[in-house]
Amino acid sequence: MKKDILQALQTVSPMQLEEHMLERPANSKLGDFALPCFPFAKTLRKSPVTIAEEIAAAVKHPLISKVEAVNGYVNLFVNRKAVADTLLPTVLEQCANYGSSNEGNGGVVTIDLSSPNIAKPFSMGHLRSTVIGNSIALLLEKNGYQPMKINHIGDWGTQFGKLLTAYRKWGIEEEVRQAPIETLLKLYIRFHEEAEADPSLNDEGRAAFKALEDGNSEALALWDWFKTESLKEFQRIYDLIGVTFDSYNGEAYYNDKMEPVVQELEDKGLLVESDGAMVVELEEGMPPCLIKKSDGATLYATRDLAAAIYRKNKYDFVKSIYVVGNEQSLHFTQVKQVLCKMGHDWASDIVHVPFGLILQDGKKMSTRKGKIVLLEEVLKEAIELAQKNIEEKNPTLAKKSEVAEAVGVGAILFSDLKQHRKHDIEFDLETMLQTEGETGPYVQYAHARANSILRKAKATNTFAIDEVNDHEWETIKQLEQFPQAVKRAAEELDPSVIAKYAIDLAQAFNSFYGNVQVLSDETNKHYRIALTECVVIVLKESLRLLGMKAPEEM
Ligand code: ARG
């Protein structure tokens, strides 16, 4: 609709117009669109008032029902019935496919997401990566790409040498079985404490990792067990938030794929020695990228180089995305630059998608010593709170625990996704679970409300639209904007576009619901039911794109 109006204006405008120039006034009384003419005054040597009057007098389009020139603005009113007449049948027919596009043409996009470290707690940062990465995958899929979600598990590196050493010295098998991550984390912390007094422990740790890298079977068996136990714990979280992966190839997977990369760096003359270690020097102002330590052990970056090349060969991606916190920006810039220096032109398709911290009372929620926030407990607490709210407000609800899970988990997801990912976000369960304000439950509740109308009356395909009132119109306008929101969210890899959109649509619908008697007016009943059904379709799809469920009753 915006494009049509813009085109109509362009044919009569003396200036070249761009999409952003056409505004949507917050108050619809001023029109559905407004074109401010102030920027043209200088070039045209006319007052904005005159320019606006001239454009207003000339513009014509079947979608425009009224034009006004007011104080240098061209205010345009859209033919509501014409828009509704095509939009509602489109949404009803396309259903969940409304807003989908083939923009991506089936191109593969690999998404590196979640990627927790075994034997360590699943952190708030890993939650953000999982939730944001999953939503980006859904958005890309809706735009015609083929996402590949890769969980690049942190299961390799010198720390595992330390962990093996600690376990051999102080570990108890039964304790690991009982509470794997907690026990392994304690062992790891103890290792660091004891190594302060006895630095030779560090050498033992290094040797243990070397043995692991060289394929020592006893070391490998132990490591494999730590990994299996850790993954079991992570899986419980993935099940709760409903996220799946296409690959769990973690850092260890690249153990035998690094040597060829190191060789290639060597052959291309990129590898230089620095204090006994091997590095690749980068552009001015960038620290060199460490490839091999002096003892020959590989590093995080070496594994990421091997992984990037492997992914290009295996998936032939059009884009390769890494959803990892802000603090790793330097690392990804380095990896990208090394690939570039190696002559891989696809290095430019690598995109680091950074995000901020989750804070509690303004401080980072930490997983350090003693202060572990166990994510699974946080999720369960959210579900319990949601359950409590249901018991208070709607005790006779069917499938209570299913709904509580959808709402509790959804509240956490939504509060994460509603702000731009680069911002730090404050974690407050009570607030995010409220059914008022910009929350997940608010959107879910609007969806359930709309469903309650449909339970009383089914939509029919035959409806005639007589006149569109202001409340209906606000809702229709929101519905019309869904495809653009989907497109922008995917282009900017930004789920907050959809979260904000969902709030706007829920608000518009709630005011429609509060002011219009949907079922009591016989003449308009069928059209209003159809409109309600469109809202259900689009709210549900918006929530799905955020990785959330949409209960039919709440
Ligand atoms: N395991 C890492 C961490 O917890 C994140 C890995 C991100 N992905 C990657 N390909 N480097 O910090």
Side-chain angles (χ1 to χ4, degrees):
M1 160 163 90
K2 192 175 180 185
K3 287 232 165 70
D4 299 312
I5 305 290
L6 194 71
Q7 245 168 33
L9 284 166
Q10 187 62 75
T11 52
V12 300
S13 162
M15 298 286 294
Q16 182 61 39
L17 301 179
E18 281 160 44
E19 202 172 327
H20 69 88
M21 295 177 177
L22 191 57
E23 299 173 354
R24 291 179 191 265
N27 179 353
S28 304
K29 301 248 172 344
L30 301 175
D32 299 309
F33 294 100
L35 181 72
C37 296
F38 311 97
F40 315 142
K42 210 167 159 194
T43 324
L44 296 177
R45 296 161 178 272
K46 281 186 201 173
S47 79
V49 173
T50 314
I51 304 170
E53 278 165 359
E54 287 173 3
I55 295 180
V59 69
K60 279 209 166 42
H61 190 278
L63 272 183
I64 301 175
S65 64
K66 191 169 87 175
V67 192
E68 285 170 353
V70 183
N71 301 331
Y73 282 89
V74 184
N75 292 342
L76 301 122
F77 295 83
V78 168
N79 183 334
R80 298 176 173 187
K81 188 173 138 49
V83 173
D85 271 337
T86 46
L87 182 73
L88 299 198
T90 307
V91 177
L92 291 177
E93 191 200 298
Q94 297 183 349
C95 222
N97 285 324
Y98 175 58
S100 303
S101 85
N102 194 26
E103 189 93 13
N105 227 332
V108 173
V109 179
T110 55
I111 304 174
D112 186 304
L113 77 166
S114 198
S115 312
N117 304 318
I118 62 168
K120 291 258 182 78
F122 193 101
S123 73
M124 283 291 166
H126 297 124
L127 175 71
R128 288 212 79 179
S129 169
T130 312
V131 167
I132 295 169
N134 187 52
S135 178
I136 288 177
L138 292 163
L139 283 164
L140 289 173
E141 187 181 53
K142 185 142 179 100
N143 281 275
Y145 293 91
Q146 193 189 330
M148 289 306 291
K149 289 182 281 180
I150 304 173
N151 196 343
H152 189 77
I153 301 282
D155 54 3
W156 210 242
T158 20
Q159 70 270 31
F160 294 104
K162 295 177 184 172
L163 188 62
L164 290 182
T165 308
Y167 180 77
R168 287 180 187 132
K169 287 190 184 301
W170 315 300
I172 298 166
E173 188 177 331
E174 191 45 35
E175 283 180 9
V176 176
R177 283 198 199 290
Q178 288 294 321
I181 291 180
E182 203 187 313
T183 309
L184 294 173
L185 183 69
K186 278 195 192 135
L187 285 170
Y188 188 65
I189 292 169
R190 177 159 175 197
F191 180 92
H192 282 275
E193 282 164 0
E194 305 232 357
E196 263 172 46
D198 175 11
S200 75
L201 269 181
N202 285 319
D203 299 327
E204 255 182 83
R206 260 191 293 276
F209 181 55
K210 193 78 184 62
L212 198 59
E213 278 204 308
D214 293 341
N216 173 294
S217 60
E218 189 264 345
L220 271 173
L222 207 47
W223 163 85
D224 196 56
W225 176 51
F226 293 165
K227 181 169 167 171
T228 311
E229 295 296 330
S230 302
L231 286 179
K232 268 196 233 160
E233 284 204 45
F234 298 153
Q235 193 55 46
R236 291 208 297 271
I237 292 170
Y238 296 140
D239 288 345
L240 269 177
I241 59 179
V243 174
T244 58
F245 301 93
D246 300 297
S247 160
Y248 279 87
N249 288 341
E251 294 187 41
Y253 183 75
Y254 301 98
N255 194 28
D256 63 354
K257 297 173 181 60
M258 284 182 281
E259 207 37 53
V261 178
V262 177
Q263 191 59 50
E264 189 183 337
L265 288 169
E266 173 102 62
D267 294 346
K268 291 184 173 160
L270 295 169
L271 219 50
V272 296
E273 210 197 297
S274 163
D275 290 336
M278 300 307 273
V279 306
V280 174
E281 278 173 345
L282 302 172
E283 283 166 20
E284 280 270 313
M286 286 282 290
C289 183
L290 220 62
I291 303 293
K292 255 188 174 183
K293 289 195 189 172
S294 47
D295 63 3
T298 58
L299 289 121
Y300 184 52
T302 328
R303 292 186 278 283
D304 258 329
L305 285 171
I309 294 169
Y310 174 83
R311 287 174 195 175
K312 183 64 195 175
N313 291 337
K314 173 149 172 118
Y315 302 108
D316 194 24
F317 55 70
V318 294
K319 242 189 206 356
S320 179
I321 293 176
Y322 294 79
V323 187
V324 187
N326 286 330
E327 66 281 2
Q328 292 195 27
S329 290
L330 175 65
H331 165 75
F332 286 106
T333 312
Q334 288 180 311
V335 167
K336 216 171 145 165
Q337 278 190 16
V338 174
L339 290 167
C340 210
K341 285 193 122 182
M342 292 171 91
H344 296 303
D345 53 0
W346 48 264
S348 56
D349 300 325
I350 288 187
V351 187
H352 175 215
V353 176
F355 54 81
L357 302 173
I358 297 192
L359 306 173
Q360 200 162 38
D361 305 322
K363 286 194 231 77
K364 182 178 175 185
M365 281 178 97
S366 165
T367 56
R368 288 254 184 77
K369 302 177 186 169
K371 273 210 294 176
I372 321 162
V373 180
L374 289 176
L375 187 61
E376 201 182 349
E377 277 166 29
V378 173
L379 285 165
K380 292 208 165 129
E381 198 184 326
I383 296 169
E384 271 164 35
L385 272 172
Q387 184 99 31
K388 220 178 88 202
N389 290 347
I390 295 171
E391 295 298 349
E392 272 167 28
K393 291 187 183 148
N394 193 0
T396 59
L397 179 71
K399 300 192 201 145
K400 270 191 262 191
S401 48
E402 206 177 289
V403 174
E405 194 168 310
V407 173
V409 171
I412 292 184
L413 265 47
F414 195 87
S415 90
D416 190 323
L417 294 172
K418 78 172 178 194
Q419 290 181 63
H420 191 276
R421 55 183 160 71
K422 282 202 186 155
H423 297 155
D424 293 347
I425 55 172
E426 183 66 36
F427 194 88
D428 178 2
L429 274 183
E430 298 269 346
T431 313
M432 60 177 86
L433 272 156
Q434 269 155 23
T435 42
E436 290 301 325
E438 303 185 348
T439 66
Y442 175 78
V443 178
Q444 286 172 322
Y445 196 64
H447 169 266
R449 241 182 190 176
N451 255 299
S452 74
I453 298 180
L454 298 183
R455 269 195 301 278
K456 288 178 205 138
K458 269 253 124 312
T460 56
N461 288 328
T462 47
F463 54 88
I465 303 170
D466 185 20
E467 210 193 306
V468 177
N469 73 29
D470 288 349
H471 299 291
E472 293 157 352
W473 181 232
E474 287 311 315
T475 305
I476 291 170
K477 274 208 282 189
Q478 287 301 332
L479 289 172
E480 199 268 339
Q481 283 182 54
F482 183 61
Q484 288 104 281
V486 168
K487 186 163 181 256
R488 194 156 70 84
E491 275 168 7
E492 296 173 10
L493 304 174
D494 179 11
S496 76
V497 173
I498 296 298
K500 294 199 178 93
Y501 170 82
I503 291 280
D504 289 343
L505 177 57
Q507 278 172 353
F509 172 74
N510 278 341
S511 113
F512 162 73
Y513 180 89
N515 290 285
V516 180
Q517 296 291 319
V518 175
L519 298 176
S520 59
D521 179 326
E522 270 312 309
T523 353
N524 288 309
K525 188 166 122 179
H526 296 294
Y527 145 59
R528 288 176 178 158
I529 294 168
L531 178 56
T532 304
E533 177 149 4
C534 290
V535 170
V536 166
I537 290 169
V538 177
L539 277 181
K540 186 173 176 187
E541 182 63 2
S542 303
L543 289 168
R544 187 189 71 83
L545 290 170
L546 299 172
M548 291 167 63
K549 295 208 175 98
E552 287 183 9
E553 272 182 276
M554 266 174 77

